Amino acid sequence: MIRQLFKLMWNSKRNHSLLIIEIFFSFLVLFGVMSFIISQYANYVEPMGFEGDNVWVVWFENANAEGGSLSKQKENMLNRIETFEEVDYVTVSENAIPFGGTRNSQSLKKGEVEVWSRYFFGDANYEEVLEIPLTEGKWFDKNTDDLKYEPVIINQRLREELFGNETAIGQILNPEDQGRPKKVVGVIGNFRWGGDFHKQENIYFAPVGKDRISTLLVKVKPTVTAEFEGQLSKTISGIAKGYQIEIERLVDKRKTANNLIYIPSIILLTVCGFLIFNVILGLFGILWANINKRKGEIGTRRAMGATQMLIAGQFVGEVMVIATFALILGCFFAVQFPLMNVFGLANAIYIKAILVSILVIYFLVGICAFYPSWQASKIHPAIALHAD
Amino acid sequence: MINLQNIEKVYRTKTIETVALNNINLSVEKGEFLSIMGPSGCGKSTLLNIIGLLDEPSEGQVQIAGSDFKKHSDKQLAAFRNQNIGFIFQSFHLINDLSVIDNVELPLIYRKSTAKQRRELAAAALEKVGLANRMKHFPSQLSGGQKQRVAIARAIVGRPALILADEPTGNLDSVMGNEIMDILLNLNQQDNATVVMVTHDENMAKRTNRLVRLFDGMQVQ
């Protein structure tokens, strides 16, 4: 029966070409959207690698321009902030503000291996403020200071690319700019600084310059009130005279960063949903008209021994076969993405997107086909035979 | 083979009641060739549909090959039709997107048989109606007479004991009509198939064993 279904649909493929094209394009749109959604989900389920829930960011306006003058107050400022019982830790960071966006990157060389990596500057407290677990070695401290080598903390991804199964701690890396060589002192797991949907990338941390201060990260106790924010701001302003202070919560920055993915995702899904809804309506109409045109055939099949179930199965099966033709064509194009490594997504994401899209298309087509087919099966054979 | 007792068929709507068949009593012996005649709308096709288990009588009893069909399920009726009854229609009812041999195989799809068995039986049926050289053709490539011969091959491919033909020569000219009639007679005489044929053509009816006439849903001869 399945063989006959394929034969019947193959022989009538020209009549169904529009339907095949419609399903084909629906599949491609769905595949694109699914690739995007699955890749974002794959990022989402990865550990962030740090905890920023009770961390505040203190911005100093024009701090970079006059960093030198602010550096004089640095020690005083940090000491004063640490005296607040509401504060757990405070750290100085030049650009390592999670969810804030940074563009610093460079190539690192280890022998013949050259790997691109993003980098951040933090101080000894950075690990404590963001609760970054180390998997090997230690964070910067006074003991890691070395005039010859700059101590760096690398993430697991960079570690694997540079050293494979070798020990990372103590390895020397040469930057592309021929600057000071770097010595690996610690390894962390993830550091998805860009948000919940940010993909893993190579990252290393280097110690922030002693005189530099552009932002502070302050880890406060979960019970702090809004009043403390005012108190903190006032205290810092009193020390960093002439600077405008802005305090921002890391959780808010996280929401903003996530919205950059949520909003296009919702728009994409809505557009895709409308497209597919239109295809469903078209499909439903075509099937309904098609079945009405084939009442004589329904009667003949019933006379030849087909049950109601077999008639319904025949029509659902036909649509599934049409969908299969469209999906074979669609898959041919879709598999080019992993084969040609388009957009740099992992092959598994494309494969999952293909499978999910196939399932969704079959499900939707099955739903569309079910009702008209069931109605067709209920046509009385004697009436069906005299319909033509 | 066929035993109809007090068959009545009434079509009811909210406002109208139409009696299609009224008190039909009919017996057809195994191997008999019966023709049913009557003016349009007299209930010939309704009677054929009832014999073919495609329709149920409002009243009365239908017995075919010793089985009584009052409380059979859709599945049981379909299986009985598939195993025991072959249908031939005036407008052929071939599936245009299937080749001749695939059309002939259709009844075999609804029973347990292998693709090889189906192909062999269908080829033999086409051989019998003289269309062995048209197996790969499509219905649109055939003449009316050839289409009806394909329909006959489809009706006999499952070796049914009963063949029901609803105006099989109605859409054909007299030469082709006679050819079709010859095939049906041949099936009746050589294979001992019971044939019930609805026709408007007196000449065709005369060639059968017995003639039943209907008028306004009643048996008048």
Side-chain angles (χ1 to χ4, degrees):
Chain A
M1 189 151 183
I2 291 169
R3 198 173 153 187
Q4 202 221 30
L5 262 179
F6 271 88
K7 209 182 279 184
L8 183 63
M9 289 299 100
W10 183 252
N11 291 342
S12 59
K13 59 186 178 297
R14 277 190 188 172
N15 298 338
H16 297 117
S17 53
L18 271 178
L19 205 55
I20 291 171
I21 290 167
E22 207 173 358
I23 297 172
F24 164 74
F25 280 111
S26 303
F27 170 78
L28 285 188
V29 169
L30 201 58
F31 166 71
V33 173
M34 283 300 151
S35 299
F36 177 74
I37 300 290
I38 291 170
S39 69
Q40 296 307 326
Y41 179 75
N43 293 336
Y44 182 80
V45 294
E46 285 286 318
M48 289 293 283
F50 63 92
E51 184 59 62
D53 278 359
N54 298 304
V55 177
W56 294 358
V57 186
V58 181
W59 300 95
F60 298 92
E61 201 168 306
N62 297 324
N64 279 332
E66 298 177 40
S69 60
L70 192 56
S71 68
K72 288 173 193 165
Q73 296 99 319
K74 179 180 164 184
E75 285 304 317
N76 183 20
M77 194 187 304
L78 294 178
N79 290 337
R80 181 70 190 92
I81 292 169
E82 278 174 344
T83 59
F84 287 111
E85 60 182 35
E86 289 89 345
V87 173
D88 281 338
Y89 299 101
V90 59
T91 186
V92 176
S93 161
E94 188 169 327
N95 66 343
I97 310 301
F99 321 120
T102 178
R103 297 288 180 271
N104 294 345
S105 64
Q106 70 170 348
S107 279
L108 296 173
K109 268 185 153 182
K110 162 74 175 68
E112 291 302 304
V113 182
E114 188 171 352
V115 174
W116 172 92
S117 177
R118 204 176 284 283
Y119 63 93
F120 302 98
F121 294 112
D123 72 3
N125 278 348
Y126 194 85
E127 171 208 11
E128 305 283 4
V129 169
L130 288 171
E131 296 177 41
I132 303 171
L134 280 153
T135 55
E136 287 174 55
K138 58 183 179 178
W139 201 262
F140 323 117
D141 59 21
K142 283 175 186 171
N143 299 328
T144 59
D145 285 350
D146 190 326
L147 287 173
K148 193 175 175 192
Y149 300 112
E150 181 181 36
V152 291
I153 315 288
I154 62 174
N155 71 340
Q156 183 62 23
R157 192 175 187 272
L158 181 58
R159 179 203 185 288
E160 283 166 14
E161 285 194 22
L162 282 170
F163 311 119
N165 294 326
E166 285 178 47
T167 310
I169 305 300
Q171 295 267 17
I172 307 299
L173 301 169
N174 294 303
E176 63 179 341
D177 60 3
Q178 308 292 318
R180 196 172 151 209
K182 300 170 196 310
K183 187 178 192 178
V184 178
V185 297
V187 179
I188 59 168
N190 290 344
F191 188 76
R192 294 196 300 119
W193 59 274
D196 289 275
F197 300 100
H198 197 107
K199 69 176 181 184
Q200 283 269 35
E201 53 187 12
N202 295 336
I203 280 167
Y204 75 83
F205 286 92
V208 65
K210 281 185 179 151
D211 296 334
R212 300 194 67 101
I213 174 164
S214 61
T215 46
L216 298 177
L217 290 174
V218 183
K219 185 169 181 65
V220 295
K221 292 202 160 49
T223 50
V224 292
T225 59
E227 282 173 15
F228 177 67
E229 187 180 325
Q231 196 183 345
L232 183 69
S233 177
K234 205 172 162 185
T235 305
I236 297 172
S237 298
I239 299 167
K241 287 193 170 68
Y243 284 85
Q244 280 198 333
I245 310 297
E246 191 188 337
I247 297 178
E248 199 177 1
R249 282 166 173 75
L250 218 49
V251 283
D252 294 334
K253 288 180 73 64
R254 183 177 186 167
K255 275 182 199 161
T256 307
N258 288 347
N259 282 344
L260 292 175
I261 298 297
Y262 277 132
I263 291 165
S265 297
I266 290 166
I267 292 169
L268 261 179
L269 282 173
T270 309
V271 171
C272 182
F274 270 115
L275 270 174
I276 287 172
F277 183 69
N278 276 318
V279 170
I280 286 173
L281 283 183
L283 203 63
F284 195 82
I286 290 168
L287 291 175
W288 195 266
N290 197 13
I291 284 168
N292 275 318
K293 270 199 316 198
R294 292 170 63 189
K295 279 186 178 168
E297 184 188 327
I298 293 168
T300 308
R301 287 181 182 274
R302 297 280 277 136
M304 302 295 149
T307 58
Q308 282 191 5
M309 284 294 287
L310 284 171
I311 292 293
Q314 170 80 29
F315 285 105
V316 173
E318 284 181 12
V319 182
M320 290 299 186
V321 171
I322 289 172
T324 303
F325 290 157
L327 290 175
I328 289 170
L329 191 64
C331 283
F332 172 78
F333 286 97
V335 293
Q336 304 306 316
F337 283 75
L339 290 177
M340 298 170 86
N341 196 22
V342 183
F343 302 129
L345 293 181
N347 286 357
I349 287 171
Y350 286 125
I351 303 295
K352 281 179 195 166
I354 289 172
L355 291 176
V356 171
S357 306
I358 287 174
L359 287 177
V360 171
I361 291 284
Y362 273 133
F363 175 74
L364 294 175
V365 163
I367 293 274
C368 286
F370 180 77
Y371 185 71
S373 304
W374 184 243
Q375 291 297 311
S377 76
K378 290 205 289 190
I379 300 171
H380 198 283
I383 294 169
L385 278 168
H386 291 276
D388 286 354
Chain B
M1 181 74 192
I2 302 168
N3 189 18
L4 305 181
Q5 287 177 0
N6 304 318
I7 296 297
E8 197 177 297
K9 180 69 185 177
V10 182
Y11 293 106
R12 291 186 178 91
T13 64
K14 279 180 185 171
T15 50
I16 303 170
E17 194 174 271
T18 310
V19 179
L21 292 173
N22 189 6
N23 196 30
I24 301 288
N25 289 286
L26 181 67
S27 283
V28 183
E29 296 302 319
K30 187 169 169 45
E32 197 176 356
F33 196 148
L34 176 84
S35 53
I36 302 169
M37 289 195 73
S40 292
C42 71
K44 303 183 297 291
S45 294
T46 304
L47 181 60
L48 205 69
N49 285 337
I50 287 172
I51 297 170
L53 308 174
L54 294 171
D55 207 350
E56 286 177 11
S58 308
E59 294 291 334
Q61 203 178 3
V62 180
Q63 273 191 339
I64 298 168
S67 298
D68 192 339
F69 294 96
K70 248 198 164 158
K71 287 183 179 169
H72 278 55
S73 65
D74 172 62
K75 200 175 170 183
Q76 287 168 320
L77 290 174
F80 189 87
R81 281 195 298 268
N82 181 256
Q83 298 286 337
N84 298 284
I85 307 173
F87 290 87
I88 301 164
F89 306 103
Q90 181 182 1
S91 50
F92 326 122
H93 283 315
L94 299 178
I95 299 171
N96 286 326
D97 291 318
L98 287 179
S99 66
V100 162
I101 193 151
D102 289 328
N103 265 287
V104 176
E105 279 186 23
L106 195 63
L108 304 177
I109 282 168
Y110 301 117
R111 63 171 76 167
K112 280 180 186 169
S113 57
T114 62
K116 194 180 169 213
Q117 284 170 333
R118 288 201 299 268
R119 191 102 319 202
E120 283 170 4
L121 287 169
L126 282 168
E127 183 88 37
K128 204 161 201 169
V129 296
L131 278 181
N133 57 341
R134 293 280 189 274
M135 281 184 196
K136 298 274 168 72
H137 285 62
F138 283 83
S140 58
Q141 297 168 307
L142 303 178
S143 68
Q146 286 172 327
K147 283 181 188 172
Q148 195 58 296
R149 282 197 272 166
V150 175
I152 293 172
R154 185 180 61 187
I156 63 171
V157 72
R159 310 237 167 95
L162 174 62
I163 294 170
L164 302 178
D166 192 357
E167 299 190 45
T169 60
N171 277 357
L172 306 175
D173 61 33
S174 59
V175 178
M176 282 186 181
N178 276 320
E179 274 180 23
I180 295 302
M181 196 60 197
D182 290 342
I183 294 170
L184 290 176
L185 282 166
N186 204 27
L187 288 169
N188 171 245
Q189 285 155 13
Q190 288 189 356
D191 298 351
N192 201 31
T194 309
V195 183
V196 178
M197 178 179 75
V198 166
T199 183
H200 275 112
D201 191 329
E202 288 281 353
N203 292 327
M204 300 296 175
K206 278 178 191 166
R207 297 178 69 183
T208 65
N209 302 139
R210 186 156 62 106
L211 171 64
V212 167
R213 283 187 193 275
L214 297 183
F215 189 79
D216 280 351
M218 286 184 288
Q219 195 173 337
V220 292
Q221 182 185 329

